[in-house]
Amino acid sequence: MSSVTPSIHYLSDYTPPVFDIESVYLEFELNPSHTKVTNTMQVRCIQSGQPLVLDGEQLDLKQVLLDGEDVTEDCLLTGESLSLHVSKPQFELKIVTQIAPQSNTSLEGLYRTSGNYCTQCEAEGFRKITFFLDRPDVLSFFTTKIVADKQDNAVLLSNGNLIETGELADNRHYAIWEDPYRKPSYLFALVAGNLKHIEDHYITADGRKVALRIYVEPQNLDKCQHAMDSLKRSMKWDEERFGLIYDLDIYMIVAVDDFNMGAMENKGLNVFNSKFVLAKPDTATDVDYEGIEAVIGHEYFHNWTGNRVTCRDWFQLTLKEGLTVFRDQEFTADMLSPAVKRIEDVKRLRNNQFPEDSGPMAHPIQPQSYIEMNNFYTMTVYEKGAEVVRLYHTLLGETGFQKGMKLYFERHDGQAVTVEDFRNAMADANQVDLSQMHHWYIQSGTPTLEVKGHYDPFAQTYTLHCQQSLPDQAVAFQPLLIPIKVGLLSKEGKELTLKVAESTQVEMNTQQTQALLWMQEGSQSFTFENVPEPPTPSLLRGFSAPVHLQYDYADQDLSLLSRADSDSFVRWESFQTLALNEIKRNIKRHEKDQPLELSTALIEAFGSVLLDSEADPALIALTISMPDLTYIGEQFEVINVDAVYEVQRWLRAQLALTYQSELQEMYGKLAGVQQAYRYHKTDIAQRMLKNVCLRYLMLLESQFELGQQQFQSQQNMTDVLAALETIAHTDHAQRDGCLQSFYETWQHDPLVLDKWFALQSGSHHLHALEHVQALVEHKDFKYENPNRVRSVLGVFGRVNLLGFHRADGRGYEFLANQVIKLDGINPQVAARIVAPFTHWQRYDQQRQAFMKSALQKILSVDSLSKDVYEIVSKSLAE
Ligand code: TRP
Ligand code: ZN
């Protein structure tokens, strides 16, 4: 790090703006190496006596005019801001600057991608375009004039409506766009280049016709239909479920290859990572198709939850992100299967957010401070934030929640607000006190919910004693409001009718078999009456709160729940716990050099799930896939890398051996129903189960041909990739040939090529590190392209347990050097790649030492970015 330590921003320092920019007219004269930006602002003074301080970084200032008078010499420049004393109540400020999009590899501000121009302004990128009050609580009317060479820039786009176009001298032309809605600068966008588009339209519920356009590079025009269909479904769903209607006459989506994140909700002009737009059955997997539908939905839903109502400051990020993720989760659930979606979301939360919440970067969903805002676009703010929004939904029900949403928009349309404003709308609309929900926003860490059951045979009562706790906090522990959805099962697995004592705050389902308990105290008991026998409790149905549940289930309770509970999440969860117990026992055996053992209980449970002909194939697939390596690791204070890997592999191989013929039969049956690819839940579920069967069978060397056959039959990318992945994990003689043939088929398609890179970086092959070292030298590897970097370096650190955590420390050394290299090119992405190092405390002494010295090496680099500095310094400070 350079001599100056970067400054820390605190929520508690918030002050409202002292100037308002009512409108802004931006004129861009595009040129790769010297783009001229003329920014004319109508400014109003809100509170006199203070200088106007505009944010601006890496800008070459040419001129400043105050109401037409040159004041360039009066401006004070710091490298991060421009300040000027103005003592007029209202004035026009015109600022001319120059920027160089071509050399902008940070992909923030105005930059080049595949020969086109595009912008990314969230969170604080607008200040790399021009001087401005670059904060979300300053809302302005934007008009944008784009002037560019016609040859290279047939298409000129910005937010809002196109109001004028024209020809200019020297083969140039221009377009003027006007956005009729006030917006903060982070929602500004500009795109220019030689893009092609597909067009469709949508008739809104109030009868207006909206033009829908998706802009892509010409060779990708045939891969946009799924994105277009997803957009139309999103628009319809938001009208039907939330009563929200689109508000402009045009909605544009642009797909670009170089993008730091998934996509961006700029008003009327979304910019997308092409990964979340482009799909054809032979290039994209079911996961890709689902991702596209979800991200298209997500960005579309932001138009109301984010754009029409935005954030007061960046500490409120979860206000728009948690809410919009919740909305996109519900959208996907309604389009596909609610049960499957919930399990997938819980897995995602546990595998990615729980580790973040127990590591040195842990922060509440409303962070209290940051060095670099880009580092706080986290699983916690997004996914845990969505879980917290879901708590309101669980507590208030769909009707109550929608009442709250309605009031939220009535009160705050056109405003920049806080998470408290959201909570107040929910509370006031339902006349309930939700003030305790605040505690979810200010405390970090995953809460533990410990439950003990007590049956009283004389009184015929059953009591649940519940206790909540949090890991160490900056603030004194404040109990959370935890909704606990429960049912009670008889020995035969029948749902008992529930009756609670009068005073308990509880809501029942119509059959009286499920209760929603409002846990509000640090410890609290709930008693059920008229319980004829000691029941098995079915707890936290639907994962009704993002907590670690601790209940001392016997294996036969778990078997019963996994077979008989009415809640699909609990059935799945019970099987996972059963498997996890088995894995933990075997990790102990492994550590003591004892032979591993597989219990008949697990063997039988596995068989009964696999062969359940009534069940949704997707739920079977999710259930019989063992817990992921990361989730297993999470169960331990110190992660024994080799034991975790060996035991999981051994267990799966044993199950494959035991059920070989059943798996083969199931595989054959599902492979037989294959037809032309359809993005449909029935087909997705069948492919999912088929490929889980394949994964098991491929653990048996004798079955290699099965995978090879599926790979060669080239049905669709879902099946091809599933097969190639199983092949890549082996050391079979055919392995390299298969990889090579895939490369030759797909080297022209960057998104498919990313998969080829990712398979090898995530492979459990003994020489994974050597392979990854070769991949960064490959002619198709580019440090400038975030998708490629994530496919290789991101996957290696995050999923290659054996390669990254090699006992000799060479995996760490490699990744640290890569982070350093990348930091000079794209700090935002470098800060993501360094994340796996932050969990160093969870490994053995030797590995800890290696990881720490890798972090220290990174920290010692001159002119390290704020992004990487923040992550590395915080994780070493622990
Ligand atoms: N708001 C975007 C979303 O939909 C997130 C995002 C896109 C972003 N690009 C970014 C955040 C670049 C920070 C930097 O979730
Ligand atoms: Zn978002």
Side-chain angles (χ1 to χ4, degrees), residues 15 284 326 486 717 782 810 848:
T15 54
F326 170 76
V486 300
M717 186 50 79
K782 298 183 191 73
R810 290 190 39 223
Q848 281 199 13

Side-chain angles (χ1 to χ4, degrees), residues 197-212:
H197 71 272
I198 65 162
E199 174 145 5
D200 204 333
H201 67 268
Y202 181 79
I203 310 285
T204 62
D206 57 357
R208 283 179 310 107
K209 185 170 174 175
V210 181
L212 310 177

Side-chain angles (χ1 to χ4, degrees), residues 112-379:
R112 303 272 284 167
T113 167
S114 314
N116 301 311
Y117 293 90
C118 106
T119 56
Q120 172 55 41
C121 295
E122 188 176 7
E124 299 180 327
F126 192 73
R127 62 189 66 187
K128 290 179 158 187
I129 295 175
T130 183
F131 286 103
F132 207 72
L133 292 174
D134 191 14
R135 44 185 291 168
D137 57 353
V138 172
L139 308 177
S140 320
F141 288 109
F142 279 71
T143 306
T144 308
K145 178 173 181 180
I146 311 168
V147 179
D149 172 69
K150 245 195 320 203
Q151 185 82 33
D152 297 335
N153 304 284
V155 172
L156 307 172
L157 310 174
S158 191
N159 320 85
N161 302 312
L162 180 63
I163 56 167
E164 195 183 318
T165 58
E167 305 286 312
L168 296 168
D170 307 326
N171 273 314
R172 295 185 311 156
H173 66 160
Y174 73 92
I176 304 177
W177 292 83
E178 189 180 75
D179 186 347
Y181 293 92
R182 279 173 170 266
K183 67 168 174 288
S185 53
Y186 84 87
L187 290 173
F188 170 80
L190 176 154
V191 170
N194 284 340
L195 297 159
K196 297 276 181 228
H197 71 272
I198 65 162
E199 174 145 5
D200 204 333
H201 67 268
Y202 181 79
I203 310 285
T204 62
D206 57 357
R208 283 179 310 107
K209 185 170 174 175
V210 181
L212 310 177
R213 291 184 173 177
I214 300 180
Y215 287 88
V216 296
E217 289 176 56
Q219 73 273 17
N220 292 325
L221 268 178
D222 63 339
K223 302 197 195 86
C224 300
Q225 194 54 48
H226 175 63
M228 183 63 89
D229 294 341
S230 301
L231 176 58
K232 290 199 276 184
R233 285 195 288 269
S234 307
M235 297 178 86
K236 188 154 195 295
W237 181 86
D238 214 12
E239 290 179 348
E240 289 174 352
R241 177 102 184 250
F242 279 78
L244 296 172
I245 303 178
Y246 187 61
D247 57 5
L248 285 168
D249 298 331
I250 183 165
Y251 194 88
M252 297 176 282
I253 288 175
V254 181
V256 301
D257 284 343
D258 305 284
F259 202 70
N260 282 345
M261 306 270 281
M264 181 62 213
E265 69 265 24
N266 319 300
K267 185 81 190 186
L269 179 58
N270 290 179
V271 178
F272 271 63
N273 185 329
S274 55
K275 176 179 164 55
F276 292 110
V277 175
L278 306 178
K280 270 197 316 195
D282 56 343
T283 64
T285 64
D286 288 334
V287 172
D288 296 327
Y289 272 78
E290 193 178 317
I292 290 168
E293 185 174 59
V295 177
I296 296 258
H298 180 96
E299 306 311 329
Y300 176 74
F301 304 143
H302 265 316
N303 190 55
W304 278 97
T305 51
N307 303 2
R308 288 289 288 258
V309 182
T310 194
C311 301
R312 187 192 71 173
D313 55 74
W314 292 119
F315 297 102
Q316 318 298 326
L317 182 61
T318 201
L319 170 76
K320 76 174 174 83
E321 295 304 345
L323 178 53
T324 305
V325 171
F326 170 76
R327 276 152 52 68
D328 84 52
Q329 290 175 347
E330 288 297 289
F331 171 59
T332 301
D334 288 348
M335 295 301 111
L336 298 168
S337 151
V340 171
K341 176 63 175 163
R342 189 66 191 134
I343 292 168
E344 286 174 344
D345 286 338
V346 174
K347 283 179 66 168
R348 193 174 146 80
L349 187 79
R350 285 179 172 163
N351 283 331
N352 304 292
Q353 196 276 328
F354 280 19
E356 183 172 275
D357 229 352
S358 65
M361 279 300 289
H363 51 277
I365 62 169
Q366 180 180 52
Q368 305 294 303
S369 72
Y370 64 81
I371 292 176
E372 170 53 62
M373 188 52 213
N374 286 328
N375 285 331
F376 285 85
Y377 288 75
T378 58
M379 291 302 290

Side-chain angles (χ1 to χ4, degrees), residues 357-416:
D357 229 352
S358 65
M361 279 300 289
H363 51 277
I365 62 169
Q366 180 180 52
Q368 305 294 303
S369 72
Y370 64 81
I371 292 176
E372 170 53 62
M373 188 52 213
N374 286 328
N375 285 331
F376 285 85
Y377 288 75
T378 58
M379 291 302 290
T380 297
V381 168
Y382 275 63
E383 309 299 318
K384 186 177 180 179
E387 290 297 323
V388 172
V389 172
R390 188 175 292 279
L391 295 179
Y392 290 105
H393 188 269
T394 304
L395 293 166
L396 302 171
E398 170 72 6
T399 314
F401 185 81
Q402 292 298 349
K403 268 200 230 164
M405 291 300 297
K406 193 160 169 275
L407 186 59
Y408 176 65
F409 293 118
E410 275 167 20
R411 284 182 179 172
H412 302 298
D413 187 14
Q415 298 175 4

Side-chain angles (χ1 to χ4, degrees), residues 677-691:
Y677 180 89
R678 241 188 357 154
Y679 178 68
H680 184 283
K681 69 172 174 186
T682 316
D683 300 29
I684 296 170
Q686 287 173 346
R687 280 188 288 270
M688 200 193 279
L689 182 53
K690 178 182 69 185
N691 288 322

Side-chain angles (χ1 to χ4, degrees), residues 459-724:
Q460 301 247 306
T461 58
Y462 181 71
T463 303
L464 290 170
H465 300 285
C466 306
Q467 183 154 9
Q468 55 168 302
S469 58
L470 273 172
D472 285 346
Q473 293 294 312
V475 292
F477 172 66
Q478 295 176 281
L480 303 161
L481 169 49
I482 301 178
I484 312 173
K485 224 180 240 181
V486 300
L488 299 179
L489 262 57
S490 74
K491 277 188 215 62
E492 292 77 38
K494 281 205 4 222
E495 307 255 334
L496 301 176
T497 305
L498 306 182
K499 183 175 180 300
V500 290
E502 287 289 324
S503 60
T504 322
Q505 171 146 22
V506 72
E507 243 149 283
M508 292 286 186
N509 66 350
T510 40
Q511 303 95 317
Q512 306 287 305
T513 54
Q514 179 170 288
L516 180 72
L517 311 172
W518 286 47
M519 179 179 182
Q520 292 185 276
E521 315 289 332
S523 68
Q524 202 171 342
S525 298
F526 301 92
T527 298
F528 298 91
E529 296 169 346
N530 302 344
V531 184
E533 56 169 302
T536 300
S538 162
L539 299 168
L540 216 66
R541 284 182 170 173
F543 198 59
S544 61
V547 300
H548 288 296
L549 173 66
Q550 275 180 14
Y551 181 93
D552 201 7
Y553 283 115
D555 279 0
Q556 61 266 36
D557 297 332
L558 293 170
S559 300
L560 179 80
L561 288 167
S562 78
R563 244 191 358 261
D565 198 54
S566 61
D567 186 77
S568 48
F569 169 77
V570 167
R571 288 200 303 276
W572 172 80
E573 174 77 335
S574 305
F575 188 87
Q576 297 306 295
T577 311
L578 200 62
L580 207 53
N581 290 345
E582 187 89 9
I583 290 169
K584 285 188 201 160
R585 284 193 289 268
N586 277 297
I587 286 177
K588 282 213 190 91
R589 292 186 190 116
H590 186 277
E591 284 170 345
K592 289 189 212 146
D593 262 334
Q594 294 168 348
L596 305 184
E597 280 169 33
L598 183 55
S599 72
T600 41
L602 188 67
I603 293 180
E604 279 168 13
F606 184 95
S608 76
V609 176
L610 175 66
L611 302 172
D612 180 354
S613 53
E614 306 282 288
D616 175 354
L619 291 175
I620 298 178
L622 284 167
T623 307
I624 64 172
S625 310
M626 290 292 115
D628 305 290
L629 292 172
T630 38
Y631 187 57
I632 299 171
E634 269 303 288
Q635 312 300 313
F636 299 91
E637 200 73 33
V638 175
I639 304 169
N640 182 338
V641 173
D642 306 297
V644 166
Y645 176 74
E646 290 298 332
V647 167
Q648 197 228 33
R649 189 187 160 84
W650 177 85
L651 202 78
R652 292 166 64 232
Q654 288 305 300
L655 290 166
L657 211 55
T658 313
Y659 287 103
Q660 185 171 352
S661 60
E662 288 83 356
L663 287 163
Q664 270 172 320
E665 194 182 326
M666 178 75 84
Y667 177 87
K669 202 175 80 192
L670 292 164
V673 299
Q674 276 291 309
Q675 282 168 4
Y677 180 89
R678 241 188 357 154
Y679 178 68
H680 184 283
K681 69 172 174 186
T682 316
D683 300 29
I684 296 170
Q686 287 173 346
R687 280 188 288 270
M688 200 193 279
L689 182 53
K690 178 182 69 185
N691 288 322
V692 168
C693 292
L694 179 67
R695 234 165 271 143
Y696 271 108
L697 291 165
M698 284 290 280
L699 294 170
L700 310 173
E701 254 165 66
S702 60
Q703 299 287 317
F704 186 84
E705 260 174 43
L706 205 60
Q708 200 179 14
Q709 246 170 42
Q710 179 169 319
F711 172 67
Q712 282 162 351
S713 73
Q714 303 283 335
Q715 280 273 2
N716 53 63
M717 186 50 79
T718 306
D719 290 340
V720 170
L721 199 71
L724 188 57

Side-chain angles (χ1 to χ4, degrees), residues 864-876:
L864 195 66
S865 67
K866 284 199 277 184
D867 310 60
V868 171
Y869 170 79
E870 177 168 35
I871 310 276
V872 172
S873 62
K874 284 183 176 172
S875 61
L876 280 172

